[in-house]
Every structure is written in C-alpha cells, then in structure tokens.
Amino acid sequence: MADSRNLSRIITAGIFLLLVVSWIIKAMSGMEASAWLNIRNGALTTIAAFLTLCIYSFLYGDNPFYRFAEHLFVGVSAAYWMTLGFWSTIVGNVVPRSFPALAKFFKISFNYELGTAWHFIVPLILGILLLMRLAPKMSWISRWPLAFIIGTTAGLNLPRYLQSDFIQQINNTFITLLPGWQGVGPFFSHLSLSASGQLVMISTNVVVFVGVVCGLIYFFFSKEHRGWFGVASRIGIWVLMLTFGASFGYTVMGRISLLVGRITFLFHDWLGIL
Amino acid sequence: MRRQIPLLLVFVSGVFMVIQYFVPSAFAERAYEFLIDWTIIIGIFALALGIWSLVRVSYNKIRTGHPDAMYSAITLAGLGLMIFFGFEFPGVSYKEAMRVTQAKDYIQSEFSGARDAAARRVFLPESETLSLRPDSIKTILTMAADSVAHWVDIFKTSHWFSGADLEGTNLAAIMTTTEQFKSISSQYTSVSPSDSMALAGLAGRVSEVSQQGIAAVDSLKNLSDVYPLTGGLENYWFIHFFDDVMIPIQATMFSLLAFFIASAAYRAFRARSLLSTVLLLAAFIVMARLLPMGPVTIGANKLTQWILLVPNLAAKRAIVIGVGLGIVATSLKVVLGIERSYMGRD
Amino acid sequence: MEQGRAQSKNKTFSEMLMSMDRRWVFLVLGIVTVGALLSKFTIKQSVTPEVRDIYNFVENLKPSDNLLVAIDYDPNAKAELHPMAYAILEQAMARKIHVITLTLSQNGAGLADQAVRDVVDSVATYDGFRPEYGKDYVFLGYRPYYALVILGMGQNFRIPFPKDYFGNVLDSLPMMKRVQNYDQIAGVIDITGSNVADAWIANANGRYGVKVALGLTGVSGADYYPYFQSRQIFGLMVGMKGAAEYETLTHNPGPAMEAMGVQTFAHIVIILFILIGNVGYFLDRRAQNKRARQL
Amino acid sequence: MLTASVSAQPANTSSADTTAQMQAIPPAPPVNVSAKDRPNDNGTGIVVKWDASPDDGAGRNNVVMYKVYRSLKPDAPFKDWVLRGQVPFGKRQYTYDDVGARDKDSKDYFPKGVDVYYRVAAVAADTFSVSGNSNAAVASDEWYNTTRTTVLVFVLVFFGFTLYFINVAKKGKTLYVRPLAGIEAVDEAIGRATEMGKPILYILGLGSASDIATIASFSVLGRVAKKVAEYQTPILVPCYDPIVLTVAEETVKTGYSDAGRPDDYKDDSVYFVTQSQFAYVAAVNGTMLRERPATNIYLGKFYAESLLLAETGAVTGSIQISGTDEIAQLPFFVVACDYTLIGEELYAASVYLNREPILMGTLKAQDYYKAFVIGVIALGLIGRMFAPDLLQAIFNIH
C-alpha cells in the first residue's frame, strides 16, 4: 500500500516536472519578441495541454487527474453560462428595456432609443415565481412558470412538427414508382444495370417506398406483429438496422478527425514537433 | 387550485400558440416573438436554481467529509472565480486592449502598404505590374482610407483614450492622412501608365503623407494588454478560463469518441443473430470504403453511396414520420392536460 | 458480465479474443494514430471513377485551353476543399492550361487568391516556369448573386466581371481577349461546400451546356451522386477522401493524403478488432457446440 | 405603358476604362407590370408580375436579368426608385415577391398601408431599359394563412381520432399493446439494482423541459421513482438543464409519495451539474465509475455524448436502457446499450408503464393515424401519376 502511494507520488511529481520543463522550453522558444508575453502564453498552452492529458487519462480509468479536470470543468462551465446569461440578457437587455431609469443610473451601455418594453416585466415576475422553489412553503407556485413554458412550447410544437416532420416527409415520399415509364416494350428493350437506367431508378424508388411503409408498420403498437404484418415489421427493422450500421461506420471518420485535432494540438501547438 | 391554475396556464398558452401558427398577421408574429423571449429570460432565472443545486451538493460533500470533498472544493473554486471575473468592474477589458493595439497595427500596415504599392508601381516593369496598374493604386489608396476610418472608430469607442487625447492632434492627423489619400487617389486617374515621372511624383506624395499618419499613430498612448479585474465578459481571466480550460477539455472529451467508437465496434459488432449481422455488415462495408484495396474499396464505396441514398432515406423518413406523430400526440396530450406527469402532485 | 469473465484465470483462447480489455483497443488506436500523424505517412488511395474522370479531363486538355475553376467555399470548408483546389490548379497550370479562377462565396476571395498565388510559386519551383498573370491565369474575384453571375457569364464574362479582382479591365488581359462566354471554356470545376453547386449544374450545364465537375465537402457530397450518374456533371470529388484520390492521381502528396493516411490506419485498426472479436465468437460457439454434443 | 429606355446609367461607370465603349442598344422593356398584395403574410410583401421583354429569348436576345424597383411616389425620377431585387432571364412570365421587414428601424422596412408602385428594368450587358409604372398596391396583413389549411385538416383529423379512442378506452374496452423489450426491462433492471444494492442512474438527456422527448422521459422517471421508493434502492438523476432539474425533482418526489415513502426522498439524488454538454458528460462518466450503478437509463434528447455515456456505462457492467428521438444518435445507442427505444417508442413508453385507459386510447389513435398516413402515401403515388399539380397545391405549405 505504502509502495503504491510512493509510486503515485513519484509519477505525479514527474508529470509536473515535465510540464514545467515544457513550459520553460515553450517560453524560451521566442524569447526575443517579448519575454513576459512568451512566458504567459507558454503557461496558458501548458495548462491547456495538461488538462487535455488529464481527460485522456480517463481512458485508463478513473484517477485523481481526471477528477481534477472534471470538477474544475463543471464549476467553470456552470459559472460561464450563468455569467453570460446574467450579464448579456438580464443586465444587457431586460433591465434597460423594462427599467431604463435604473439601468441609466448604473451606466449600463445600451441603445435606449429602443424605448421601454413593459412586456419584459412578465418573464421577470415568472422568473421570481420560479425562484420561490427555494422557499419550501411556496414551492408550489413555481409550477406556474413551468406550466407557461411547457404549454407554450407544446403549442408551438404541435402544428410545426406536423408540418415539417410529418406532412413534409409524407410529401417527399410521393415518388413515382415508375419514373420515366414508357410502357412495357421500351422497358425490356432498354434493360440495363447502369445507374441512370430505368431498372435501377425504378428499383430505387420501390425500395424507398417499401422501406418507409415497412418502417412505419414496425412502429405500430396496438396490433400484433404476426402474419403479413409481422413480415412487414421485420423488413422495417431490417432497414433500420442496415441504416444504423451504415451511419455508425460513416461517423468513424469524423471522430478520428477530432482525435487528430487534439493530437495536433499536443504535438504542434504545445510541443512544437509536428 | 394548486393544480388547476397551472393546467389552465398550459392549456391557454398552448392553444394560443397553436392558433398563432395559422395567423400570419404581424400581431401574431410579435406575440410569438415575445413568448420566445420570455421563455429565454425565465430560463436564466432557472439557471440560478441550477447553480444553487450545484453549490448545495458540493457543499454537502465538503461538510460531510465525502471522499470527493477536495474535488467539490475545486468545483466551487472554479465556479466562484469564473463568476467573480465575469463581474462588470468598470474599466478597460482585455479584448478592448487587444482591439486597440490591433487597430494601431492595422492602421500602420495600411499606411505603409499603400506607400509600398505606390513606390513599386514606379520601379517595376510593365509586365509584372498588371495587378498594380495606376487605377488599381487608386483603389488601394481609397480602400486604405476606408479601412483606417473603420479602425479609428475603435479608438473612438474605447474607454482608454480620454476625449482630449482623441479630439486633439493624433486622431486629427490620422484623419487628415486618409483625406489626403483620397485626394491623391483621384490624381492617379489622370496619369498615363507610361508616365513614370508623374507616377514617381505621386508615389513621393503618398510616402510623405503616410509617414505623417504613422507618426500620429505611434504617438497614441500605449496600452498594457492585461487588466486582471476589469472588463466583465471580456476580462482577461474570464476569456482565458474559457479558451484554455473549457475549450481544451471540451474538445478532448469530444475526441474521446474516437476511442469509444472503436471499443464499441469491437465489443458489440458480433454476428450473434441475423439482425446484428445486418448491423455489422453495413458498418463493415461503410468502413471498408477507406481501405486501400482497389476494386474492393470502389465496390464498398458504391455500396455505401447506395445505402446512404436509398435505405437510409427510407429508414430516416419512417423514423421522422413516427417521431413527428409522437411529438404531435404528446403535445396534444400536454395541452389537453392528459399528460401531466411532469407537474408532480402535492 | 464480460468484465467478470475477463477476470477469470483460465480463459480459453477464444474467450480471450472476445473479451479483451478495451484499453488494448485504445492503446493500439492511439499509437497507430499518433504514429501515422507524426510520420506523415501517406497511402495511395484507390481511385474512384468519378474522381478519375476529372483528372483525365484536365489531363486531356491542350495547353492554352481555358479551364474555369470556381473556388466557392469559405474558411469553414477550407480543410476539406483547399487540397482539391491546390491539386487541380497545380495540375492545370503545370500543363500550361489557361486557368480562370473566381469565387462566388462571400468570404472566399482571400482563400482563392492565396491558393492561386501558392500554386504559381509551386509551379515556378517544380516545373521550371512561372505562370504569368493575365497570360496563363486570371483571378476574377467575387460577385454576389451566384445564380445571376453564372447565367451572366453564359452571355459574356464581362457582364458580371467587367474587371478582374485587381481592377484590370478584362480586355487588357491577353488570355481574356479570346474569352467571351462559356463557348470558349473547356470545362468548369466548381469546388464548394454550399448549394452554389446546384446553380452550376442548372444554369451553366443545364442552360449553356458547358461541362461541369464538382468538388464537395463530405457532408453535402452524397446528394450529388445522382447528377454524376445522369452525367449532368462529368466528375465528382467528395471530402477529404476525394481530395486525397486526386492527390494520388497527380502524384502530388499533400495535406489530404496525409489526413487520409491517418484515417485509413484508424479504420484498419477498428476493422481488425471487429474481426478479432468475431473470430473469437465463432471459435467459442464451435467449442460450445462441441461440448454440448459431448454431453 | 411608358417605354422610354433609360441609357443614362450604363453598367460601366468608370471613365478611366481604356476599352472602347460599345454602343449597345438597350433591350425592349418588360411589359404588363402589375402588383398586388402578397397573400398570407404579415403585411410586408407585394407580389410583382410582368411579361418578358421581347428581347428575352427572342429578338436581340440580350436580356440577362430583370431588376425590380419600388417607389412610394409614382412620378419620382427613376434614380430615386429603390432597387428591391433581381431575377434571372429565360421565362415568358415572371413573378417577384418583394418582402421587407416589419421593424421600423430596419433598413429594409416595408411601408405599411400605403400605395407603392413598381417598375421593372430589363438589363443587358452594358445597358438596360425600364418599364412603365405598375398599378398602385397596398400591403396588408391577413388573419388566416390559407396555405396552412392542410395542416389544420391534419390537426383536426388527429384530434378526432384521439377523442374517439379515448372514449372507446374509457368505456372499458381493453386495447392490445405489443410488448416493448426496452420497457419490460425497466422493472427487471430495478430489481437487479436492488439485489446488488447499487443505485440506478437516470439521465434525462440534454433536452429542455419543453422537448417532447424529455416530457416522455419524465413520465418514465415518475414510474421508476415509484418503484425505486418501494424497493428502497437509491436513484441518481444528474441534470443538464435547470428547468428539467426542477421538474425532475417534482417528478421523483411524487414517485416517492405515491409509493407511500415521501420521507425517503433525498434532496441530493436529483441534482444539477452544468449546462455545458461535455462538462456534463465528464461529470456523469465520473459518477458512473465511482458509484458503479447497476442500471443506467438514458431517455430523452441526446447528441454526441450518447456514445461517451453508453460506452462508459458498459465498462461498469450496468444494464443499459436507452431511448431517443435524435436519429443521428440512435446507431450508437443501438450498438452500445442492451435495450434501445427507437424514436416513437420513447413517446409510447409512458403509456406502456402507466396503462391508463385514456393514454392507451391516444396510442391507438396514433396507430390509426399511421394507417391513415400509409393510405395517404399510397394515394399520393397514384396522385403523383395523374394529378401532380393538385398534390403540389395540397402539400405545399409556407
């Protein structure tokens, strides 16, 4: 037990020593320009590289370095969004538009010609009602703003999704099963496997049509998937699985690019050897 | 009552939004924009609740001596520092200092660029100066003047320069230079490309004027580029916590996917059943399009295209139609108050 | 469950293949990726016919034929599309084909200018002559309303582009004196990440019959294969892979081939691990069947 | 009709050009320029129509495009008319939608309720000619968007189906639902966690409280919370969105009180992490390795983090149940999880778990609607062959 502790201490010390050395090298590399600036930028890049390695250490397993980066990240990012929202939306827009006098008193820079927008009072009140959650006896009142948000967006979604995800998609499925059909005679006399040939185009459209219908049948909940219905549902799930496998394989390239980006950061931006 | 009022609120706001969809009038459009703005603002108040929850959980861990207590302290420290640095202390921000410094550099390079172009036109043989004809020098000069005017605006809005500093000699001198650029530029129109004497004269004028401009910029007060506390969202530390803590961790977390996609493929792509074989084969074919194996690769490439264009289209459409229907159904249930599990009970 | 089996001491070979610790996968993938990246290893890509068609087209042009290269992308798509522009421009300029470049993307002028300058330098270094502006190549710059620009050039290049990027009147440039409209252009190669490609197909090819080929980003590429199949475009390069294939053809390894080298190695690693897992699975199942029969 | 051709402003304005100016003859101007209010809008649009110039595709055949100009004063000099847009050549008849902005501060502000006039210029290489004035038109806003009637019909049909089947279900008729493996696994997974004495990790995804996927996930969470309270198994619900957090708290608390154990609810079991995608994943992944939950449930909206979560969960040997309506992430869940609810199955999950007659009725209505859709698609195939224009008119919605 004691040995492994010492070992981990040695490893930790080694890692920090490496970081310091890399920082010094980084800072020295362009010294003549501006010493202070180089030391500073070198330190920032080294910190970023250290945090990058902390996260990669998760690939081995949970460890103190990962925990450190994780917890730091959580705190900083939570504050980041909070600060951004507070200063840019509440102080930067809502207050000057609903209480210009107050905003002018605090010298908030804003285009005051936009005039007072009293309607912003409503979300301010709803927001304060939401904060009532913190008072146990009044927490029921915080449901009002929740109800408002959920009601609004449900009403918003209802017709819009019906249009975009539903009617539009149905419309796109209105394909002709026999594109460029000129009769049975010409079809057989020009039979070919070329991609622009009629056979291929027709089979493509048929596959799309059958795929959509079978896919929909797979999603039937209140009918037993047996007999011909079961067969169609089976075809449906096959088409889905084929697609999922292909999408998975197709995504690999993009993910490797992300990794390449980080490796480039470590070896080029930080160590300068790529 | 405690349950009825929220349900009524859901119903009224929901029905209003549905009706709004069918009304193109400006009134309905404005109401829509208001409601969207409102939900954003309420969301920020909710964020305060989130922060409260985060602080409470972290604090409890520290208080009870949880094994992760030290790490929770790090979370709280990061949170506190970031909020502190984001606070709008009045003064020059880091970004503003960068902008002003940059503006100075750009103005100088515009001036010297115009000077050099004018000089080059005089000395280079005709064949190599197609891109530097007299009328293009004219363009370069007016463009330089316009872009300097743009950079000067940054000086004007900066907290750093006092009014006197700007209204006085420096800014005036810079602006005079741009005015002179414009007037010289109009003289280029009347010069023939082969009249090297006249060209040299103009180049000399440009050089003289730009020197004055550069001197004026040089005499502007210098800024330090770090202001540790001031600047709010543009504060030095706020920006660097974002750039050098958040961004690298975020990008690295994202890139872990490269490893996980590999391990998931190894772990799960087994030909256990017919269905999982379909999944496996599709992935295999698509990945094989990158192998350097000649005809196999080209075949895999063709098959990939076909899968992406045909079955993929069908499957996605089936899912989207189903999802669309599900969304509509659930929205309807929510608006009508049938689905109310999100509302809790007393 | 797999974890539990992994820890048991006496594992059969097939079980070992099936339940390797995933950290081995990570290690191999990491080493291979870093190694390929550091060594800048390039692999010759298997060339697809749609890319070869573009190459052959440029290769079969005579010197002083006019080729229009539209560099219609902005910095977002630079990583994927810049290598294509470089490879094509270099091939064409080295063969003394007259190249007209332009951009229909608002933020594309800087990129296009840079590409052209770099390629001129490169040709001067490696091919022993320096292409001359106005005689061997021209850069027309940017104009808004791409559909109108493409149509306008069908009437006369001087309608959308009275002057080039540097402010020269077109007729003052020797090679442009002989170019009025698409009739004098052997072909158009449009490199883009946006739907400018549609306008080239519909307006340049559809209305004026000029030959059009496309270089596209990986995201938008799949949508355009049908146009290749119906021969509305004579060639198609998609994404980093298409660019790498073109670099392979021109024997001019560049950033795309390097990037694809890493990708190819990573894909090989993943495919090998899938194979290992399945081999283990089949061996295991056979062993189990045997045991079942013995019992 | 005024047919004066204006050649005072040729396209080439620079007098420094060394090329000789071609003495170009302007094309004949376009004719029959008319303007009327743009229907179904918010009062900031006019539709301009005109017939092609005789020199477009015929005659001198030198028209390249048309430019549309607008003025409030019919007799203003042409230089004061505002250019509103351009249209390429090549048709016999043209329409141009002149759409502006509603906002008075905008550069593009469209004058409301007053007469506006249009003129259209036929533009050739170096010259152009301008048509006469259009009739006066007034932009006005409307109270019903007629192009959206199809949507209204679909909404009403769906509403009808739903009400009908709710009624049927209320009368006590039992409705069949096919088994969903992912849902049936939920109870089993809770039992397993109880046996192992380990917590259940419930992830609501990155959606906001108003995403339907999240709302569907809430109802499953309520059910899970109730079971968990009965078995006295700990549950962990880390949240990404603060509003989701408040709703999740309510839901879990309700689950506990439904099980008759309101005092067992711990405040720290539902908690906020951060509203940053990868920081959230980092924290949840850490939690998985430290707490080693027996069961991970991912239901809701998921993006790139889906595989990060599911692969880490697989290391700890948890049973993983997932479901999302994000099509791009389904492949990863399908590959890495034990059970996956695909798209619509996620929305149906709450019905499966609660089995309330009203909800069952809505599920049945959804199925009938799907059958209706398949019918519409089949009809559309026929319609596409015989009446493509009608189909276009019905399904083209703005």
Short mmCIF file of all heavy atoms in Angstrom, two decimals, chain C residues 11-39:
data_model
loop_
_atom_site.label_atom_id
_atom_site.label_comp_id
_atom_site.label_asym_id
_atom_site.label_seq_id
_atom_site.Cartn_x
_atom_site.Cartn_y
_atom_site.Cartn_z
N LYS C 11 -8.85 -18.61 -19.04
CA LYS C 11 -9.66 -18.25 -20.19
C LYS C 11 -9.20 -19.07 -21.38
O LYS C 11 -8.01 -19.30 -21.56
CB LYS C 11 -9.50 -16.77 -20.52
CG LYS C 11 -10.43 -15.89 -19.74
CD LYS C 11 -10.51 -14.53 -20.35
CE LYS C 11 -9.17 -13.82 -20.31
NZ LYS C 11 -9.28 -12.44 -20.78
N THR C 12 -10.16 -19.48 -22.21
CA THR C 12 -9.76 -20.13 -23.44
C THR C 12 -9.31 -19.05 -24.42
O THR C 12 -9.56 -17.86 -24.21
CB THR C 12 -10.95 -20.88 -24.06
OG1 THR C 12 -11.95 -19.92 -24.39
CG2 THR C 12 -11.51 -21.90 -23.11
N PHE C 13 -8.65 -19.48 -25.47
CA PHE C 13 -8.15 -18.54 -26.46
C PHE C 13 -9.28 -17.73 -27.06
O PHE C 13 -9.19 -16.50 -27.19
CB PHE C 13 -7.42 -19.34 -27.54
CG PHE C 13 -6.93 -18.48 -28.67
CD1 PHE C 13 -5.96 -17.50 -28.44
CD2 PHE C 13 -7.45 -18.62 -29.95
CE1 PHE C 13 -5.52 -16.71 -29.48
CE2 PHE C 13 -7.01 -17.82 -30.99
CZ PHE C 13 -6.04 -16.87 -30.76
N SER C 14 -10.39 -18.42 -27.36
CA SER C 14 -11.50 -17.70 -28.00
C SER C 14 -12.08 -16.67 -27.05
O SER C 14 -12.45 -15.57 -27.45
CB SER C 14 -12.57 -18.69 -28.44
OG SER C 14 -13.04 -19.41 -27.33
N GLU C 15 -12.15 -17.01 -25.77
CA GLU C 15 -12.68 -16.04 -24.81
C GLU C 15 -11.76 -14.84 -24.71
O GLU C 15 -12.21 -13.70 -24.56
CB GLU C 15 -12.85 -16.69 -23.45
CG GLU C 15 -14.16 -17.45 -23.34
CD GLU C 15 -14.24 -18.27 -22.07
OE1 GLU C 15 -13.19 -18.55 -21.46
OE2 GLU C 15 -15.37 -18.63 -21.71
N MET C 16 -10.46 -15.10 -24.83
CA MET C 16 -9.51 -14.01 -24.77
C MET C 16 -9.74 -13.06 -25.93
O MET C 16 -9.72 -11.84 -25.77
CB MET C 16 -8.10 -14.57 -24.82
CG MET C 16 -7.14 -13.89 -23.90
SD MET C 16 -5.67 -14.88 -23.72
CE MET C 16 -4.89 -14.66 -25.29
N LEU C 17 -9.98 -13.65 -27.12
CA LEU C 17 -10.22 -12.81 -28.28
C LEU C 17 -11.49 -11.98 -28.11
O LEU C 17 -11.59 -10.85 -28.56
CB LEU C 17 -10.36 -13.68 -29.54
CG LEU C 17 -9.10 -14.35 -30.05
CD1 LEU C 17 -9.41 -15.07 -31.36
CD2 LEU C 17 -8.00 -13.33 -30.28
N MET C 18 -12.48 -12.58 -27.44
CA MET C 18 -13.78 -11.92 -27.36
C MET C 18 -13.83 -10.83 -26.30
O MET C 18 -14.57 -9.88 -26.43
CB MET C 18 -14.86 -12.95 -27.05
CG MET C 18 -15.38 -13.65 -28.25
SD MET C 18 -16.49 -14.93 -27.73
CE MET C 18 -17.86 -13.96 -27.12
N SER C 19 -13.07 -11.05 -25.22
CA SER C 19 -13.26 -10.12 -24.10
C SER C 19 -11.96 -9.47 -23.71
O SER C 19 -11.61 -9.40 -22.55
CB SER C 19 -13.87 -10.88 -22.93
OG SER C 19 -13.03 -11.97 -22.62
N MET C 20 -11.23 -9.02 -24.71
CA MET C 20 -10.02 -8.26 -24.44
C MET C 20 -10.40 -7.00 -23.66
O MET C 20 -11.46 -6.42 -23.89
CB MET C 20 -9.43 -7.84 -25.77
CG MET C 20 -8.00 -8.21 -25.97
SD MET C 20 -7.45 -7.54 -27.52
CE MET C 20 -8.52 -8.32 -28.68
N ASP C 21 -9.53 -6.58 -22.77
CA ASP C 21 -9.76 -5.31 -22.09
C ASP C 21 -9.80 -4.21 -23.15
O ASP C 21 -8.95 -4.19 -24.05
CB ASP C 21 -8.62 -5.05 -21.10
CG ASP C 21 -8.96 -3.91 -20.17
OD1 ASP C 21 -9.48 -2.89 -20.66
OD2 ASP C 21 -8.71 -4.05 -18.96
N ARG C 22 -10.78 -3.34 -23.05
CA ARG C 22 -10.90 -2.34 -24.12
C ARG C 22 -9.73 -1.37 -24.13
O ARG C 22 -9.52 -0.66 -25.09
CB ARG C 22 -12.21 -1.59 -23.99
CG ARG C 22 -12.34 -0.88 -22.67
CD ARG C 22 -13.71 -0.28 -22.55
NE ARG C 22 -13.67 0.84 -21.62
CZ ARG C 22 -14.34 1.94 -21.78
NH1 ARG C 22 -15.11 2.08 -22.83
NH2 ARG C 22 -14.25 2.92 -20.91
N ARG C 23 -8.97 -1.37 -23.05
CA ARG C 23 -7.81 -0.46 -23.05
C ARG C 23 -6.79 -0.86 -24.09
O ARG C 23 -6.03 -0.04 -24.58
CB ARG C 23 -7.19 -0.43 -21.65
CG ARG C 23 -7.99 0.47 -20.73
CD ARG C 23 -7.48 0.44 -19.33
NE ARG C 23 -7.98 -0.71 -18.61
CZ ARG C 23 -8.09 -0.77 -17.29
NH1 ARG C 23 -7.71 0.26 -16.56
NH2 ARG C 23 -8.55 -1.83 -16.69
N TRP C 24 -6.76 -2.15 -24.47
CA TRP C 24 -5.88 -2.55 -25.57
C TRP C 24 -6.32 -1.89 -26.87
O TRP C 24 -5.49 -1.46 -27.66
CB TRP C 24 -5.88 -4.07 -25.73
CG TRP C 24 -5.19 -4.76 -24.60
CD1 TRP C 24 -5.76 -5.57 -23.67
CD2 TRP C 24 -3.80 -4.68 -24.26
NE1 TRP C 24 -4.83 -6.00 -22.75
CE2 TRP C 24 -3.61 -5.46 -23.09
CE3 TRP C 24 -2.72 -4.01 -24.82
CZ2 TRP C 24 -2.37 -5.59 -22.48
CZ3 TRP C 24 -1.48 -4.15 -24.21
CH2 TRP C 24 -1.32 -4.93 -23.06
N VAL C 25 -7.65 -1.82 -27.06
CA VAL C 25 -8.16 -1.15 -28.26
C VAL C 25 -7.70 0.30 -28.26
O VAL C 25 -7.20 0.82 -29.27
CB VAL C 25 -9.71 -1.21 -28.29
CG1 VAL C 25 -10.24 -0.59 -29.57
CG2 VAL C 25 -10.20 -2.64 -28.15
N PHE C 26 -7.86 0.96 -27.11
CA PHE C 26 -7.47 2.37 -27.00
C PHE C 26 -5.99 2.54 -27.32
O PHE C 26 -5.60 3.42 -28.08
CB PHE C 26 -7.72 2.90 -25.59
CG PHE C 26 -9.15 2.88 -25.16
CD1 PHE C 26 -9.51 2.93 -23.82
CD2 PHE C 26 -10.17 2.83 -26.11
CE1 PHE C 26 -10.83 2.92 -23.43
CE2 PHE C 26 -11.50 2.82 -25.73
CZ PHE C 26 -11.83 2.86 -24.38
N LEU C 27 -5.18 1.65 -26.71
CA LEU C 27 -3.73 1.79 -26.85
C LEU C 27 -3.33 1.65 -28.31
O LEU C 27 -2.61 2.49 -28.86
CB LEU C 27 -3.03 0.73 -26.00
CG LEU C 27 -1.52 0.90 -25.91
CD1 LEU C 27 -1.18 2.16 -25.13
CD2 LEU C 27 -0.87 -0.31 -25.27
N VAL C 28 -3.84 0.59 -28.96
CA VAL C 28 -3.45 0.36 -30.36
C VAL C 28 -3.91 1.52 -31.23
O VAL C 28 -3.14 2.06 -32.04
CB VAL C 28 -4.04 -0.98 -30.85
CG1 VAL C 28 -3.76 -1.16 -32.33
CG2 VAL C 28 -3.47 -2.14 -30.06
N LEU C 29 -5.16 1.94 -31.04
CA LEU C 29 -5.67 3.03 -31.86
C LEU C 29 -4.85 4.30 -31.64
O LEU C 29 -4.48 5.00 -32.59
CB LEU C 29 -7.15 3.29 -31.53
CG LEU C 29 -7.82 4.36 -32.38
CD1 LEU C 29 -7.97 3.88 -33.81
CD2 LEU C 29 -9.17 4.75 -31.82
N GLY C 30 -4.54 4.59 -30.37
CA GLY C 30 -3.77 5.80 -30.06
C GLY C 30 -2.40 5.77 -30.70
O GLY C 30 -1.98 6.72 -31.35
N ILE C 31 -1.71 4.64 -30.53
CA ILE C 31 -0.35 4.54 -31.07
C ILE C 31 -0.38 4.67 -32.60
O ILE C 31 0.40 5.42 -33.18
CB ILE C 31 0.30 3.20 -30.66
CG1 ILE C 31 0.61 3.23 -29.16
CG2 ILE C 31 1.55 2.95 -31.46
CD1 ILE C 31 1.13 1.92 -28.63
N VAL C 32 -1.32 3.97 -33.22
CA VAL C 32 -1.37 4.00 -34.68
C VAL C 32 -1.68 5.42 -35.17
O VAL C 32 -1.04 5.92 -36.10
CB VAL C 32 -2.44 3.00 -35.19
CG1 VAL C 32 -2.77 3.26 -36.64
CG2 VAL C 32 -1.96 1.59 -35.00
N THR C 33 -2.62 6.10 -34.51
CA THR C 33 -2.98 7.43 -34.97
C THR C 33 -1.81 8.40 -34.81
O THR C 33 -1.46 9.12 -35.75
CB THR C 33 -4.19 7.94 -34.17
OG1 THR C 33 -5.16 6.91 -34.10
CG2 THR C 33 -4.80 9.15 -34.83
N VAL C 34 -1.23 8.41 -33.63
CA VAL C 34 -0.10 9.32 -33.39
C VAL C 34 1.04 8.99 -34.34
O VAL C 34 1.64 9.87 -34.96
CB VAL C 34 0.36 9.24 -31.92
CG1 VAL C 34 1.64 10.04 -31.73
CG2 VAL C 34 -0.72 9.77 -31.00
N GLY C 35 1.31 7.69 -34.50
CA GLY C 35 2.40 7.28 -35.37
C GLY C 35 2.18 7.73 -36.79
O GLY C 35 3.07 8.32 -37.42
N ALA C 36 0.98 7.48 -37.31
CA ALA C 36 0.70 7.87 -38.70
C ALA C 36 0.80 9.38 -38.86
O ALA C 36 1.29 9.88 -39.87
CB ALA C 36 -0.70 7.40 -39.09
N LEU C 37 0.37 10.10 -37.84
CA LEU C 37 0.38 11.56 -37.92
C LEU C 37 1.81 12.08 -37.88
O LEU C 37 2.19 12.96 -38.66
CB LEU C 37 -0.42 12.12 -36.74
CG LEU C 37 -1.16 13.40 -37.00
CD1 LEU C 37 -2.26 13.17 -37.99
CD2 LEU C 37 -1.73 13.92 -35.71
N LEU C 38 2.61 11.53 -36.97
CA LEU C 38 3.97 12.04 -36.82
C LEU C 38 4.83 11.68 -38.03
O LEU C 38 5.66 12.46 -38.46
CB LEU C 38 4.61 11.48 -35.54
CG LEU C 38 4.07 12.03 -34.23
CD1 LEU C 38 4.87 11.49 -33.06
CD2 LEU C 38 4.12 13.55 -34.22
N SER C 39 4.61 10.48 -38.56
CA SER C 39 5.45 10.06 -39.68
C SER C 39 4.94 10.64 -40.99
O SER C 39 5.56 10.46 -42.02
CB SER C 39 5.46 8.54 -39.76
OG SER C 39 4.16 8.08 -40.04
#
